[in-house]
Each structure stands twice: as structure tokens, then as C-alpha cells.
Amino acid sequence: MKDYKILFTGSVCSGKTTAIRSVSDIETLDTDAQASDVTVRRKKNTTIVMDYGVLDLNTETRVHLYGTPGQERFRFMWDMLTSEFAHDAIGMVLLVDNTRKDPFRDIRFYAKAFGDYLRKRRLIIAVTHSDVEPNPDYNRYLSELKDLGVMSTVMFVDARDPRAILGVIEELISAVERDIDWDQVRDRLLDINGFSLDFYKPLYEETLLDAAMNKRGVLGAMHIGEGQDLLCSNIDDASIKSLLLNINRLTDAISEKASFLGAVNNVVIAGPKVDTLSVFNDQNQSLCLKSDKDISLPVLKQQAGDLLQWSIDNDYLA
Amino acid sequence: MNELLGTIDKPNVVESSCFLEGKEVTTSSFTKANRHYETVARQTFSYIFLNVGKHKSKHNEAHLEIGDKRLSGFLLKANRVLVCLSEKETNISDVRAHIQQVQHLIAKAEVERMLA
């Protein structure tokens, strides 16, 4: 029996678990937990350790499919997968969610995070959710990847469709295995696993402010868009609102004047008997929070980062 | 004051520190390489604490994360701020705890400075 391994990675909700599940011959090993952060806006569960599935291509050839957790805070699992379980994988599939506000940012991030790993193996970029958001299109991906210097095949796939995911696997395996009857595998998978659009139902329900208010310790929130445009707020106290807006203007000014030091990620002001006020920046938008003074700043920072990750989608998702 | 900055600077917690009087730096351990951060700190904390004062708010510390670094400003009294430069990944609680530990030394130095 010849065994091959493929590692699937990508951001939260990019479809890693779904992709592996759609082609696996075994009941996949999912290590999901209820999402505690903004992923709840997109789905209720998130992978915390890894996904694992197996696909038999014929009686002599088998592919082991490993999926990483999406969140960077589970980075230790990325290291474990690349150095142990999937250290000898034939290639890596980077699933890119096309509804993300900047999918190329994800590509840059994962290409860097898995840079050493990718030196010895092929990378396939599998773009998902293009049925929801068709842009950027295929040509734009090719052009951006060329600019980024990333050598990769780009495929637009539906992670729920076993035929699409099998196509990705074929792209990697067919270079070394010439005797696989891919049509037969495809038919078999459709018979066994089928293709149902109910496989994955995204939950696009909460607005950014709702999501923020559901976070531990958050007492108020304000969303500021490009050009200091106040998009929405539920902070009533005029004084606090003005203070936060001024701090946000300050972060813009510093980012502009001291860009060589890097971006201003956040500003937090605190005190012993007052609510903590913070401004978190992400590209052209900011999330201002009023929170309980007892919430630790690393927790606050993580929550804000996760919230901002999806916020551009907010208007059309709401 | 310079000795005090030597105590405030602590490996893995506070890389460099300085005292601000309004927008002016009175004492500093910022290296030449980190001087740009000192400039940002001067502008940032004078602006923030001026705004805090205007709004009659009781916030007495501010933290700015820029690039790979974090600047923390602790308001000692009106117009006087202690600035600490740390790595972004340094836990703010560690910086706070360290400043609290040396609080009595800072207070003593402030009294000596006023009497001088």
C-alpha cells in the first residue's frame, strides 16, 4: 500500500473541515469545539486540534488528509502537523475564503507561516465561497500570486463538492501516481458521500456591534470606517465617544507620520476605577471598545482582532 | 533619575524608559536606535492625557502597540508621564506589575526632583 499525505490549511471558515469530510472514506476525525470568538458569526464550531480523513484511490494507494485549525492561536498544532503528522506530505492545500475582505492577505500570511514547509512541496491555492463572492477572480489571483512571488496552482472549488476536492487531490497525486482511475474514485465518492448544499450552512446573522456586545466584558462598541467615518455605535456617553474618536484620529496620524515603525495596531487606556477604552485598527477600519476594567488586555485584544476579521462583510451579510 | 531608569528597565519586560514633562523628555534610557519610539511616545501620551484631562476622566495609563513594539505611558501626576517601551508580545500585566514594584522608588525620585 502506498500512502500519501496532504495538509489542508487556511483561515477560519475557509472550508478545511468540509473539504476533508467531503472526500474521506472514513468518518473524519474532527476536533471541533464551540467557537468562542467571532467565528460564531460564521459557524458554531471551529477546529481546535486537527481534522483527519482518509481517501482510498485504489486498493494500493491511499491518501491521508490532515487539516490544521484556522486560528493562529492554535499555531502549536500547525508546528506539530508540519513537523510530525504531515512532515512527509506531498503537498499543501491552502483554502482561501473569497469572502474575506483581503484574501491575498491570507495568502501572504499562510505562505509566510508555512514558508519552510513549502520549500519542499507543492502548494495549491483552493479558493472557496466564490459562489457568495466571485471577486477576486481567477485572473486576479494569478496576477497577485505572480506579484507575491508565490508559485502555486489556483483552483476555484466548492469544499462541499467531493468532485472539486478530488480535483485538488488529483492535481497533487497525479504527478507521482499515473495509474489511478480518477473517474471511478469520483463516482464512488458521489455514491458514498454525495453532494449536499446543506453540508455547510453559514450563519450570517450578527452585526459587528451585536457580536462585540456578546464578548465577555464588552460594555459598548463603535465601528469606524475609512476616513474616520463613524459607521455605527452603541456608546451613548458623549464624553467617552469623543475620547475614543480623538484617540482613533491620533492612531491615524501616527500611522501616517511614523509608518516606518509599522502600523498602530491598538491603543488602550485604563485606570483603577474606570472602564477600559480601546481602539483596535485593522487596515482601513477601527473598532473602539468600552470594556470592564477587569478584562485582561490580551483577551480584549484577541476578541477585537477576531471581530475585525469579518467586519467588512458586515453590511451585506446583515 | 538615570539610576531609577536603570531599575525600571528590566529584561523581557521594559526595554527602555523615559520621563515626560508635557511633551518634553526629562530623562531617558532610549537608545539611539529606539529614538523614534520616544518621539512617538511624546506626541501620543501628551495628546492622550491632555484629552483624558479635558474629559475629566480618571484613566491614568495608556498603551500603544505600534509595529512589533508597545509603548506604555503611566500618568504620575498632571503633565508627568513615565514611558516604557516593550516588545509587543510582553504581557501588559507584567509591565504594570513591574511599575507597581518600583512605584515607591519613582515617588521618592519625584520628591527629590521637586526639592532639588
Side-chain angles (χ1 to χ4, degrees):
Chain A
M1 174 72 81
K2 285 188 209 165
D3 290 277
Y4 294 98
K5 294 177 183 176
I6 296 174
L7 182 65
F8 288 74
T9 192
S11 64
V12 175
C13 298
S14 58
K16 301 176 291 295
T17 303
T18 306
I20 291 175
R21 200 185 291 160
S22 72
V23 292
S24 181
D25 283 317
I26 63 164
E27 192 67 30
T28 51
L29 167 69
D30 302 332
T31 52
D32 285 6
Q34 189 172 2
S36 60
D37 50 29
V38 79
T39 52
V40 78
R41 296 184 61 213
R42 301 291 303 271
K43 59 178 184 178
K44 285 186 175 169
N45 292 316
T46 192
T47 301
I48 56 165
V49 180
M50 67 173 192
D51 295 309
Y52 174 69
V54 173
L55 169 64
D56 288 324
L57 297 177
N58 58 32
T59 52
E60 293 170 358
T61 315
R62 175 173 285 173
V63 187
H64 300 264
L65 310 159
Y66 295 89
T68 70
Q71 287 114 322
E72 199 188 354
R73 65 174 175 275
F74 298 119
R75 201 178 185 124
F76 64 95
M77 273 313 301
W78 301 359
D79 295 338
M80 194 179 283
L81 280 159
T82 54
S83 61
E84 293 181 34
F85 297 109
H87 72 96
D88 49 353
I90 192 167
M92 188 173 96
V93 179
L94 171 55
L95 290 143
V96 178
D97 178 353
N98 221 32
T99 66
R100 295 269 281 180
K101 62 191 171 204
D102 184 359
F104 303 113
R105 192 178 173 206
D106 286 347
I107 294 176
R108 284 193 295 275
F109 174 78
Y110 286 97
K112 190 178 171 194
F114 289 90
D116 289 340
Y117 188 68
L118 287 172
R119 267 188 210 120
K120 295 177 186 167
R121 48 189 57 82
R122 270 191 76 188
L123 169 68
I124 303 243
I125 289 178
V127 182
T128 58
H129 300 110
S130 59
D131 52 334
V132 180
E133 177 53 67
N135 291 306
D137 64 9
Y138 179 75
N139 289 331
R140 175 85 195 283
Y141 271 91
L142 290 187
S143 151
E144 287 282 340
L145 288 173
K146 194 178 166 191
D147 291 347
L148 291 173
V150 175
M151 299 287 289
S152 169
T153 304
V154 178
M155 302 175 83
F156 275 57
V157 299
D158 186 329
R160 300 164 294 188
D161 187 347
R163 294 166 296 187
I165 301 306
L166 188 66
V168 174
I169 294 169
E170 183 180 353
E171 181 69 23
L172 285 169
I173 302 288
S174 60
V176 287
E177 282 293 335
R178 298 189 186 279
D179 299 328
I180 308 290
D181 184 344
W182 293 99
D183 288 336
Q184 192 187 50
V185 181
R186 204 165 284 124
D187 292 344
R188 184 174 63 75
L189 282 175
L190 278 177
D191 283 346
I192 298 168
N193 292 357
F195 172 39
S196 161
L197 289 173
D198 291 334
F199 211 76
Y200 168 75
K201 284 183 179 174
L203 303 170
Y204 299 137
E205 286 156 5
E206 287 181 297
T207 66
L208 179 70
L209 291 195
D210 287 339
M213 296 308 289
N214 283 331
K215 298 291 165 257
R216 191 156 55 95
V218 174
L219 307 169
M222 190 158 71
H223 189 197
I224 300 171
E226 200 169 355
Q228 302 291 332
D229 187 15
L230 177 56
L231 301 175
C232 50
S233 169
N234 59 16
I235 295 174
D236 297 328
D237 188 319
S239 180
I240 287 176
K241 208 168 167 177
S242 162
L243 195 49
L244 283 166
L245 286 169
N246 285 343
I247 291 174
N248 189 55
R249 278 188 207 104
L250 173 75
T251 64
D252 266 13
I254 298 170
S255 295
E256 197 183 316
K257 287 183 181 170
S259 55
F260 52 92
L261 292 178
V264 174
N265 304 315
N266 58 67
V267 176
V268 178
I269 65 169
K273 290 178 184 173
V274 279
D275 295 329
T276 300
L277 302 180
S278 47
V279 175
F280 295 88
N281 296 323
D282 185 52
Q283 295 183 36
N284 296 324
Q285 57 173 344
S286 308
L287 177 65
C288 304
L289 297 176
K290 175 187 166 198
S291 55
D292 189 288
K293 65 179 174 55
D294 293 326
I295 287 293
S296 83
L297 296 182
V299 168
L300 195 62
K301 191 174 142 184
Q302 184 197 309
Q303 289 181 347
D306 286 343
L307 285 164
L308 279 168
Q309 199 170 33
W310 298 106
S311 59
I312 281 289
D313 301 7
N314 209 35
D315 286 346
Y316 95 94
L317 294 177
Chain B
M1 272 295 178
N2 283 333
E3 272 179 38
L4 179 60
L5 292 181
T7 312
I8 292 170
D9 295 353
K10 184 183 176 185
N12 301 323
V13 182
V14 176
E15 209 172 299
S16 308
S17 54
C18 69
F19 283 96
L20 298 181
E21 188 88 46
K23 275 190 183 180
E24 300 305 314
V25 175
T26 56
T27 329
S28 175
S29 70
F30 276 71
T31 58
K32 200 177 170 185
N34 282 337
R35 202 45 61 85
H36 290 303
Y37 291 102
E38 190 187 82
T39 308
V40 168
R42 277 169 44 202
Q43 303 291 334
T44 301
F45 296 126
S46 58
Y47 179 85
I48 287 178
F49 289 120
L50 185 70
N51 264 276
V52 163
K54 273 183 190 170
H55 288 91
K56 296 185 174 29
S57 173
K58 289 180 181 167
H59 295 93
N60 62 2
E61 62 176 74
H63 307 271
L64 168 90
E65 204 176 281
I66 179 166
D68 295 329
K69 303 282 186 186
R70 186 192 300 117
L71 286 159
S72 298
F74 297 90
L75 186 67
L76 303 174
K77 58 175 192 167
N79 222 25
R80 186 129 173 103
V81 177
L82 165 65
V83 174
C84 300
L85 176 73
S86 315
E87 287 295 320
K88 184 173 91 173
E89 305 307 331
T90 308
N91 195 325
I92 289 179
S93 307
D94 292 344
V95 179
R96 263 189 196 146
H98 174 58
I99 297 304
Q100 272 169 8
Q101 273 177 0
V102 296
Q103 187 81 51
H104 65 289
L105 295 175
I106 296 171
K108 191 181 160 201
E110 286 293 301
V111 171
E112 283 169 359
R113 195 180 67 89
M114 280 191 293
L115 294 175

